[in-house]
């Protein structure tokens, strides 16, 4: 794949979006310079400096680690315009004011590099109108780019061309945004609010309208329109609070200003009026989460919700009726039929908003998007929907649902009297039963099914995210299968590298996973270049399957568990010393035993949003799959590298302390970047921005390591910190216990962790092997299983899913 070389990016505007876009670029190791106006007082970069400092405090965190804020180069338009000449991509992200943006373009035009792509980050302004202020030489390199907030976490980026944009410019930008920044790209037409905000905000307005019509409170609506409906857990009103009610009002105004009878004559224009409840909140300065109050307000630990009738806040907590909850668990066709036919107001409300969504998307498809696929992906990636509107419609039975929607339109129940387009009932879509099929998705503009993008960047995605009905290959049914049990599938795509996919729930580690990993190494050593441990969802492994061990424990006690732990430890060492490389392709969570599997691999390839940690203390246990042995070995290696003396004289404790603390406090890296800082990933490991490229990169790494003449590490002895280090750590723990910061049982667990990490009751610098340390892990793990306090923690976690503090 050829790449457009992006050596440095300039972000113009250090506001909320600009600063966070810069932060995400830093996360992805892209050099960035952040511009804003010169400060009127103090240092000229004062505005940018304040914004960069603010990034360290924001939640959710825009930076993988706060200290990376220092990597953002600070600049202002008065002193540093020449820096633009070093930038291959310039992203303008100032306030949503056409006049301000146009004035800035005039100011920077002469400083831009002759090859640089220039993009405006706007949520809905006309890209074509913005381009009119640019010199003719820049117009072919200008386009719109719309990051969703917060940029680090939201997958969606919309790209918008103008009539003058060169096609290769958008192709180059799409490749960069996809592979280097890890985003899901949708190309939108240059219409007000583009795709996601056009459909999403119209849907939120419809939801507010229907909620009032059916007399539902905001908390009940959010419970109905959150996860239960296959949407973001924040629902509707909570999402509005997070986005900002003023921001929402701005997007609504864009609809009002550009889609009226004098402009586009949108048949849904009547539903774009600003809801009185929203206007009243904004007038009071209640702008949502950023102002401390909106549709919700937090008072102490209590969450209050707005009661529009009282114009005041009352206790929240309203939930969906049980009957509606049951309906929402049914398959799509049955679910929609039951909602439509129910007399329950909540069910009627849900049918109404779904009908409104189907109606709106169908009527506007031709104008806003190239195909239905773009609409569905935009709603998935931008609004957290499990299925986009067209996917759900097709899943529930295309013509049946279309008939219901038509009946409601004819009966005057819909938001608009506009009929559904003829292609809904006639032609290829009706004949096939939906807009998505294996060869492509329906384009109302081109009156045919349009295939997905064939840009080279997508060849890096073996199993890209696909819409329902696209007939996409299923990873766990693909390739050539070589072994399978209840918890693991071993298979290959190319005949060169073996793929080990954990298939148990949450990829919990049971005897089947241990068996599968051992079998993978055996098969790979005989016939393959390596093993890649990868699964196609957002969990690498959530740890050991404690529940599966309960029958053995109840019958034999901890002595029955000890051989199981020994088998796991032996498998970890089998992977570490395999004759072929074993690569962990980590995505989502890798906790406890999942973290240990990754630690014992040759290399780790992690998606950006990978959360890694040794968390066993949460259930009153210690890591026993080699995790603490790894900490001891890494401390010895680090001490040896830092010391000019021999092993015995190296200050090993200094390096063991960080690993001990991470395990004793169950620290979890909340990004792959932080996981690297905590030592769960090493410097040679690779962080992949796009989750769907993870398998490609891991396979490539396995082959490259093998082809370079791979030999496993030598089985070396490990110098340990010994009894004096244990005594020092215990003293610190005693102070924490006596100060009430940890419980007596926490003290006991942490002491056991210290004993293993420091090698037990031996002299400082004593040499031990991995089997010795793993025996210590195993013995102490099993002793904790017999402890009543640990048993309380384990049972509490299994029954409630929440940690017990005792």
């Amino acid at each position: 794949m050829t790449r457009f070389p992006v050596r440095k990016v300039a972000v113009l505007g250090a506001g909320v979006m600009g600063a966070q876009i810069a932060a995400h670029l830093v996360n992805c190791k892209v050099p960035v310079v952040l511009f804003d106006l010169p400060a009127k007082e103090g240092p000229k970069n004062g505005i940018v400096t304040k914004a960069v400092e603010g990034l360290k405090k924001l939640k959710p965190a825009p930076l993988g680690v706060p200290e990376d804020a220092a990597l953002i180069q600070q600049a202002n338009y008065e002193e540093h315009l020449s820096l633009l000449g070093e930038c291959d991509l310039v992203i303008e992200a100032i306030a949503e004011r056409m006049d301000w943006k146009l004035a800035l373009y005039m100011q920077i035009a002469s400083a831009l590099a002759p090859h640089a792509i220039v993009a405006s980050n706007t949520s809905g302004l006309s890209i074509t109108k913005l381009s009119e202020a640019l010199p003719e030489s820049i117009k072919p390199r200008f386009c719109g780019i719309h990051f969703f907030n917060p940029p680090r976490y939201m997958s969606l980026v919309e790209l918008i061309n103008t009539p003058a944009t060169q096609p290769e410019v958008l192709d180059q930008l799409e490749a960069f945004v996809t592979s280097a920044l890890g985003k899901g790209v949708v190309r939108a037409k240059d219409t007000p609010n583009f795709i996601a905000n056009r459909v999403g905000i119209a849907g939120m307005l419809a939801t507010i309208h229907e909620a009032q019509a059916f007399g539902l409170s905001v908390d009940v609506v959010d419970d109905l329109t959150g996860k239960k409906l296959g949407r973001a857990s924040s629902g509707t009103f909570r999402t509005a609070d997070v986005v900002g009610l003023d921001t929402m009002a701005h997007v609504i105004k864009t609809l009002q200003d550009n889609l009226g009878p004098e402009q586009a004559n949108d048949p849904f224009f009547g539903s774009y009026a600003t809801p009185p409840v929203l206007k009243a909140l904004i007038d009071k300065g209640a702008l949502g989460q950023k102002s401390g109050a909106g549709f919700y307000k937090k008072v102490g630990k209590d969450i209050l919700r707005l009661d529009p009738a009282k114009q005041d806040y009352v206790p929240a907590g309203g939930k969906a009726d049980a009957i509606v909850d049951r309906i929402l668990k049914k398959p799509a066709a049955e679910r929609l039929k039951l909602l439509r036919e129910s007399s329950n107001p909540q069910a009627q409300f849900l049918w109404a908003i779904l009908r409104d969504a189907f109606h709106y998307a169908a009527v506007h498809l031709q104008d806003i998007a190239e195909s239905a696929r773009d609409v569905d992906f935009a709603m998935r990636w931008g609004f957290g929907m499990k299925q986009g509107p067209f996917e759900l419609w097709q899943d529930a039975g295309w013509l049946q649902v279309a008939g219901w929607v038509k009946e409601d339109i004819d009966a005057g129940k819909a938001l608009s009297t506009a009929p559904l387009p003829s292609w809904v009932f006639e032609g290829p879509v009706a004949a096939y039963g939906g807009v998505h099929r294996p060869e492509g998705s329906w384009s109302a503009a081109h009156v045919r099914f349009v295939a997905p993008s064939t840009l080279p960047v997508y060849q890096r995605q073996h199993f890209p995210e696909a819409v329902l009905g696209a007939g996409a290959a299923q990873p766990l049914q693909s390739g050539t299968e070589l072994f399978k049990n209840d918890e693991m599938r071993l298979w290959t795509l190319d005949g060169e590298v073996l793929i080990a996919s954990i298939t148990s729930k949450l990829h919990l580690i049971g005897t089947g996973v241990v068996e599968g990993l051992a079998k993978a190494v055996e098969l790979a050593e005989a016939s393959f270049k390596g093993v890649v441990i990868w699964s196609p969802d957002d969990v690498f492994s959530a740890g050991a399957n404690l529940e599966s061990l309960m029958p053995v424990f109840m019958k034999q006690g901890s002595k029955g568990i000890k051989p199981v732990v020994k088998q796991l430890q032996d498998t970890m060492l089998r992977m570490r010393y395999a004759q072929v490389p074993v690569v962990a392709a980590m995505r989502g969570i890798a906790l406890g035993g999942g973290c240990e599997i990754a630690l014992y691999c040759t290399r780790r390839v992690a998606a950006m949003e990978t959360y890694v940690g040794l968390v066993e203390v949460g259930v009153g246990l210690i890591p026993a799959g080699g995790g603490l042995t790894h900490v001891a070995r890494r401390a010895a290696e680090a001490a040896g590298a830092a010391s000019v003396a021999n092993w015995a004289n190296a200050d090993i404790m200094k390096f063991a302390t960080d690993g001990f603390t991470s395990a004793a406090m169950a620290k979890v890296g909340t990004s792959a970047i932080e996981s690297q800082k905590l030592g769960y990933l090493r410097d040679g490991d690779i962080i992949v921005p796009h989750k769907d490229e993870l398998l490609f990169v891991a396979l490539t790494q396995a082959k490259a390591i093998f082809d370079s003449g791979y030999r496993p590490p030598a089985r070396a002895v490990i110098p340990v910190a010994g009894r004096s280090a244990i005594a020092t750590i215990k003293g610190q723990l005693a102070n924490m216990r006596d100060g009430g910061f940890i419980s007596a049982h926490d003290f006991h667990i942490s002491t056991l962790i210290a004993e293993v990490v420091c090698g037990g009751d031996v002299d400082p610098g004593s040499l031990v092997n991995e089997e010795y340390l793993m025996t210590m892990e195993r013995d102490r793990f099993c002793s904790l299983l017999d402890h009543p306090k640990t048993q309380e923690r384990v049972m509490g976690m299994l029954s409630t899913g929440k940690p017990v503090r005792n």
Side-chain angles (χ1 to χ4, degrees):
M1 182 186 79
T2 57
R3 291 188 179 184
F4 174 71
V6 179
R7 289 156 292 200
K8 183 182 283 188
V9 176
V11 177
L12 311 182
V16 174
M17 282 302 294
Q20 291 199 62
I21 291 170
H24 187 63
L25 288 160
V26 164
N27 291 337
C28 297
K29 307 305 181 200
V30 179
V32 60
V33 53
L34 180 61
F35 280 83
D36 211 300
L37 296 166
K40 294 179 180 179
E41 297 179 359
K44 290 290 181 70
N45 282 340
I47 294 173
V48 177
T49 300
K50 183 178 180 181
V52 170
E53 287 301 308
L55 290 171
K56 302 176 186 178
K57 305 169 187 175
L58 281 178
K59 297 294 180 184
L63 289 159
V65 288
E67 49 266 40
D68 277 357
L71 299 177
I72 299 174
Q73 186 177 357
Q74 301 181 20
N76 65 79
Y77 303 123
E78 182 179 302
E79 299 177 306
H80 306 116
L81 278 186
S82 61
L83 291 175
L84 292 174
E86 304 173 7
C87 299
D88 305 297
L89 172 61
V90 177
I91 299 173
E92 171 271 304
I94 68 170
E96 296 281 287
R97 283 274 301 268
M98 179 77 71
D99 54 340
W100 290 1
K101 289 177 184 282
L102 296 179
L104 179 60
Y105 297 167
M106 296 294 289
Q107 184 179 0
I108 67 169
S110 62
L112 297 171
H115 68 282
I117 295 174
V118 183
S120 175
N121 182 74
T122 172
S123 61
L125 295 179
S126 170
I127 304 303
T128 301
K129 287 184 179 178
L130 287 173
S131 72
E132 291 171 359
L134 294 168
E136 291 300 319
S137 61
I138 297 176
K139 286 182 180 179
R141 298 180 276 120
F142 179 77
C143 63
I145 186 169
H146 181 207
F147 286 86
F148 266 61
N149 191 22
R152 171 184 163 185
Y153 301 96
M154 298 300 292
S155 177
L156 180 63
V157 169
E158 294 174 314
L159 296 183
I160 310 96
N161 67 305
T162 74
T165 307
Q166 291 179 344
E168 58 266 30
V169 165
L170 230 57
D171 290 348
Q172 291 165 347
L173 188 55
E174 181 166 351
F176 171 74
V177 170
T178 299
S179 195
L181 303 187
K183 297 303 176 186
V185 172
V186 165
R187 295 200 186 185
K189 294 185 178 182
D190 191 9
T191 54
N193 291 340
F194 312 128
I195 298 175
N197 273 344
R198 178 74 174 271
V199 177
I201 295 299
M204 292 178 77
L205 287 170
T207 299
I208 295 172
H209 170 82
E210 303 291 2
Q212 292 172 339
F214 289 98
L216 303 182
S217 62
V218 298
D219 49 354
V220 170
V221 169
D222 280 352
D223 191 51
L224 288 167
T225 60
K227 285 188 175 180
K228 292 175 180 175
L229 198 62
R231 298 183 178 181
S233 57
S234 52
T236 301
F237 292 101
R238 177 62 183 151
T239 296
D241 273 358
V242 171
V243 170
L245 303 191
D246 53 340
T247 302
M248 182 179 176
H250 171 79
V251 178
I252 293 171
K253 191 173 188 306
T254 302
L255 297 175
Q256 295 167 351
D257 291 346
N258 295 280
L259 296 172
E262 298 80 17
Q263 297 96 4
N265 200 23
D266 187 326
F268 286 80
F269 184 75
S271 66
Y272 298 153
T274 303
V277 63
L278 178 63
K279 184 178 185 304
L281 286 169
I282 294 173
D283 288 346
K284 291 193 298 185
L287 305 180
Q289 184 172 277
K290 60 188 172 186
S291 67
F295 288 107
Y296 293 94
K297 181 179 181 180
K298 188 173 183 181
V299 178
K301 294 184 178 181
D302 297 326
I303 303 295
L304 307 181
R305 55 100 176 163
L306 180 69
D307 183 336
K310 296 179 179 179
Q311 285 294 298
D312 201 358
Y313 292 91
V314 299
K319 299 290 184 182
D321 291 344
I323 187 172
V324 178
D325 208 351
R326 289 194 295 272
I327 289 173
L328 291 175
K329 295 175 182 176
K330 303 286 186 182
E334 185 179 359
R335 179 165 74 245
L336 264 61
K337 184 175 187 294
L338 290 171
L339 290 174
R340 183 172 185 269
E341 295 176 353
S342 174
S343 60
N344 183 288
Q346 294 182 11
Q348 292 175 344
F349 158 77
L350 287 173
W351 162 251
I353 65 170
L354 292 173
R355 173 204 65 217
D356 296 339
F358 300 148
H359 187 194
Y360 192 89
V363 168
H364 289 98
L365 175 60
Q366 178 173 339
D367 297 326
I368 67 174
E370 282 298 308
S371 77
R373 177 178 53 253
D374 294 327
V375 173
D376 282 341
F377 275 153
M379 299 313 295
R380 278 203 209 176
W381 297 337
F383 279 80
M385 292 186 176
K386 187 176 180 181
Q387 291 181 313
F390 289 115
E391 288 181 285
L392 176 57
W393 186 348
Q394 183 166 330
D395 194 19
W398 184 265
L399 288 177
Q400 176 68 80
V401 173
W404 291 338
V405 175
K406 183 179 184 302
E407 286 180 28
D408 280 12
I409 295 170
D410 294 344
K413 297 179 180 179
L415 293 176
S416 168
T417 58
L420 289 171
S422 59
W423 57 261
V424 170
F425 297 102
E426 303 166 4
V429 171
Y432 182 73
V435 293
H436 302 305
R437 53 193 301 176
E439 59 265 39
S441 296
W442 181 252
S443 171
H446 298 292
V447 199
R448 59 181 173 84
F449 289 92
V450 175
S453 172
T454 57
L455 287 177
V457 67
Y458 295 113
Q459 294 172 14
R460 295 168 59 87
Q461 300 179 8
H462 286 299
F463 299 99
E465 190 170 343
V467 290
L468 178 84
Q474 299 302 308
L476 297 182
Q477 298 170 11
S478 299
T480 302
E481 187 174 290
L482 293 103
F483 173 84
K484 186 176 182 180
N485 63 24
D486 290 342
E487 298 179 357
M488 180 78 81
R489 180 184 190 242
L490 307 182
W491 55 292
T492 182
L493 274 175
D494 57 10
E496 294 189 88
V497 178
L498 187 68
I499 302 170
S501 297
I502 304 174
T503 58
S504 54
K505 183 180 180 182
L506 292 177
H507 304 171
L508 294 174
I509 302 166
T511 55
V513 171
V514 176
E515 177 194 17
L517 290 172
K519 186 69 174 177
V521 174
E522 176 191 334
L523 292 173
E525 287 181 331
S527 307
F528 295 90
K529 291 185 174 183
V531 178
V532 167
I533 305 172
W534 173 86
S535 300
D537 52 23
D538 290 330
V539 179
F540 180 73
S541 172
N545 189 341
L546 296 177
E547 191 171 8
S548 71
L549 297 176
M550 291 303 294
V552 177
F553 180 76
M554 296 299 291
K555 186 175 182 180
Q556 302 179 44
S558 64
K559 67 179 181 180
I561 303 298
K562 190 169 286 191
V564 178
V565 178
K566 176 71 163 59
Q567 185 183 15
L568 173 63
Q569 293 175 335
D570 290 345
T571 301
M572 295 296 184
L573 294 175
R574 183 80 175 90
M575 291 192 300
R576 174 169 166 78
Y577 296 109
Q579 296 302 307
V580 295
V582 181
V583 177
M586 306 163 69
R587 172 175 161 189
I589 60 173
L591 303 177
C595 173
E596 289 171 312
I597 288 175
L599 292 175
Y600 278 80
C601 287
T602 312
R603 183 162 295 171
R604 287 138 295 277
V605 176
M608 182 70 70
E609 295 305 322
T610 299
Y611 304 85
V612 191
L614 297 170
V615 296
E616 287 82 354
V617 296
V619 287
L621 294 167
I622 67 169
L628 299 182
T629 299
H630 170 84
V631 170
R633 185 179 66 247
R634 288 289 292 134
E637 291 169 353
S643 176
V644 296
N646 60 38
W647 283 109
N649 294 327
D651 185 5
I652 301 167
M653 179 185 169
K654 179 173 63 177
F655 295 94
T657 301
D658 286 346
F660 160 78
T661 303
S662 294
M665 297 182 64
K667 285 187 177 180
V668 175
T670 55
S671 68
I673 301 169
E674 186 179 9
S675 296
Q676 198 164 42
K677 181 184 176 185
L678 291 172
Y680 300 130
L681 301 179
R682 300 180 70 165
D683 289 342
D685 294 336
I686 295 173
I687 298 174
V688 180
H690 201 296
K691 60 184 176 58
D692 289 342
E693 292 188 3
L694 191 64
L695 179 58
F696 171 86
V697 175
L699 292 171
T700 302
Q701 285 293 307
K703 285 183 273 193
I705 295 170
F706 180 88
D707 290 339
S708 65
Y710 176 74
R711 298 291 301 172
R715 289 180 179 261
V717 290
I718 302 168
V720 292
R723 64 175 71 88
S724 59
I726 297 171
T728 300
I729 293 173
K730 284 183 68 175
Q732 295 169 346
L733 291 171
N735 289 336
M736 295 177 68
R737 179 198 59 200
D738 296 343
F741 296 104
I742 62 174
S743 69
H745 194 48
D746 291 327
F747 173 83
H748 176 56
I749 297 167
S750 298
T751 298
L752 298 184
I753 292 174
E755 289 174 0
V756 179
V757 168
C758 297
D761 187 16
V762 297
D763 293 333
S766 295
L767 300 177
V768 302
N769 60 27
E770 288 169 306
E771 286 80 3
Y772 166 85
L773 291 170
M774 285 187 170
T775 299
M776 292 183 66
E777 280 188 31
R778 191 164 63 246
D779 290 344
R780 283 153 179 77
F781 177 88
C782 289
S783 73
L784 283 169
L785 280 176
D786 293 326
H787 198 293
K789 293 288 187 181
T790 284
Q791 291 172 8
E792 285 180 21
R793 292 192 184 188
V794 171
M795 295 308 297
M797 179 64 74
L798 291 177
S799 59
T800 68
K802 297 179 181 180
V804 173
R805 307 314 307 166
N806 58 8

